[in-house]
Amino acid sequence: MREKILYLLGLAAFVILARDIYLIARLPPEAAQGYAFKIIFFHVPSWVGAGASVATALVASVLFLITKNFIFDAAAVASTEVGVAFLSAGMVTGSLWARPIWGIWWTWDERLTTTLVLWLLYVGYLMLRHAIEEPTQRATFAAVVSIFAFIGVPIDYFSIRWWRTQHPSPVFFSSTGSFPSDWGAIMGWNILAYLLLAAVFVAVRLEQEQAQRELDSLRRLAHSF
Amino acid sequence: MHWTLLLAQVSAGDIAREIARLQRNFEFLGYGFWAAWLVLIIFVLTMVSRERRLKREIASLKAMLEDRQNILEDGQKK
């Protein structure tokens, strides 16, 4: 039953994304930036997916420290991995947009730098987990790192409001930006599709983490024979 | 009237440059779409390979433990 729901959610996300690609292709080029502007339809949803995933990791890490229940540790690592995948997608699509618009792949402005720091923090979290063998110690240290890493999320989000950056000013939830309503609707559907994908990925990874725990306990049992 | 004035100021080179800019722009849009999908596809493939490895290792460990259990039980019977 659980698997069927996951397949259905994944299928729904795929259908929405396929439909959106068709709609995006039919949109006219943006007046100033041309076709490259349309990358925003995948760039922003990647960040929303990443934000939702690392926020889940934060909640799971706090809950682990309170309850010491390993299911929360598994949820934290599952959602962090998904978050890193979406962060990577956001950074790559951003760079591919920057090249034709700015003429450069990368610049050390506040938004891009804080994003890279955030990505490094979460990759560091995943590396830390490989470095510690004892499960309780690993889960506790990882939870603390995850909570500290999340401090970077609001700094990254507000960087384009706090500082004058080369990165464009905020388009959404801002008085300075504007986005046509029909374009906004496609963006909304794409964000929904990415959130569905993130939820499916986290659920699948969570099952794998539980399978990994089963494998670890079987190994211990094999050693005790 | 405005259009004729504008057209009078545009050279063939300007038009060629604008077409080249739009084509290049379109090319990067394609790269962006592919990159967004590629990252997700790589992540899915990683999950699939991990799933297979986990299932294989769990199955082989369970089989090994059953064998050891059977050997122990046989030894106790003898």
Side-chain angles (χ1 to χ4, degrees):
Chain A
M1 183 63 185
R2 191 185 146 95
E3 272 192 9
K4 275 185 186 169
I5 292 171
L6 288 180
Y7 276 124
L8 276 176
L9 288 177
L11 187 70
F14 185 79
V15 169
I16 294 170
L17 284 173
R19 166 190 165 273
D20 284 353
I21 287 174
Y22 171 72
L23 293 176
I24 292 163
R26 285 166 57 102
L27 289 176
E30 203 261 349
Q33 298 183 17
Y35 292 107
F37 178 80
K38 294 183 188 181
I39 291 176
I40 198 174
F41 288 107
F42 290 86
H43 180 65
V44 171
S46 297
W47 292 123
V48 177
S53 302
V54 295
T56 309
L58 169 78
V59 173
S61 299
V62 171
L63 287 174
F64 173 78
L65 289 179
I66 294 168
T67 63
K68 295 290 176 191
N69 186 340
F70 277 90
I71 187 76
F72 294 120
D73 178 53
V77 65
S79 39
T80 303
E81 265 191 27
V82 174
V84 167
F86 280 98
L87 275 173
S88 306
M91 285 172 72
V92 172
T93 50
S95 198
L96 284 166
W97 170 85
R99 181 68 180 129
I101 302 301
W102 294 343
I104 45 171
W105 296 100
W106 180 266
T107 180
W108 294 102
D109 91 327
E110 287 79 355
R111 167 52 75 84
L112 276 71
T113 308
T114 52
T115 303
L116 181 66
V117 169
L118 197 63
W119 186 83
L120 287 171
L121 282 169
Y122 282 109
V123 170
Y125 166 93
L126 295 175
M127 287 168 76
L128 174 81
R129 295 189 66 91
H130 285 285
I132 305 171
E133 280 199 12
E134 206 283 309
T136 311
Q137 198 181 33
R138 177 177 58 209
T140 309
F141 282 9
V144 172
V145 170
S146 178
I147 292 165
F148 273 104
F150 193 82
I151 294 170
V153 175
I155 296 173
D156 189 26
Y157 178 77
F158 286 108
S159 60
I160 51 172
R161 294 164 197 262
W162 290 343
W163 300 293
R164 283 172 63 88
T165 57
Q166 182 158 343
H167 187 282
S169 305
V171 175
F172 304 102
F173 311 115
S174 158
S175 57
T176 55
S178 67
F179 209 71
S181 61
D182 51 337
W183 291 45
I186 299 172
M187 177 67 85
W189 280 106
N190 251 19
I191 287 173
L192 175 70
Y194 267 61
L195 286 175
L196 283 176
L197 276 183
V200 171
F201 289 169
V202 169
V204 172
R205 277 293 294 118
L206 190 58
E207 274 182 17
Q208 289 180 349
E209 279 301 306
Q210 282 164 332
Q212 181 67 53
R213 271 163 230 282
E214 188 191 345
L215 182 67
D216 290 343
S217 65
L218 283 173
R219 277 183 185 145
R220 279 195 292 275
L221 194 63
H223 278 294
S224 67
F225 257 101
Chain B
M1 185 63 187
H2 294 304
W3 287 108
T4 40
L5 280 173
L6 276 172
L7 278 173
Q9 293 169 13
V10 174
S11 68
D14 289 337
I15 293 170
R17 266 194 297 278
E18 182 59 16
I19 289 171
R21 189 186 74 88
L22 280 175
Q23 275 176 346
R24 190 174 141 76
N25 226 308
F26 192 74
E27 213 174 286
F28 273 88
L29 169 66
Y31 296 153
F33 281 179
W34 276 112
W37 280 92
L38 197 66
V39 171
L40 298 182
I41 288 167
I42 289 169
F43 187 72
V44 169
L45 290 177
T46 315
M47 281 201 300
V48 169
S49 88
R50 192 189 307 226
E51 182 92 25
R52 282 188 187 154
R53 181 184 58 81
L54 281 169
K55 278 184 179 165
R56 196 175 53 237
E57 284 188 27
I58 287 173
S60 74
L61 263 174
K62 276 184 177 168
M64 191 186 82
L65 284 169
E66 267 178 30
D67 284 348
R68 285 190 187 180
Q69 189 70 37
N70 289 339
I71 291 166
L72 272 177
E73 281 172 7
D74 288 347
Q76 280 170 354
K77 277 177 193 168
K78 283 175 188 172

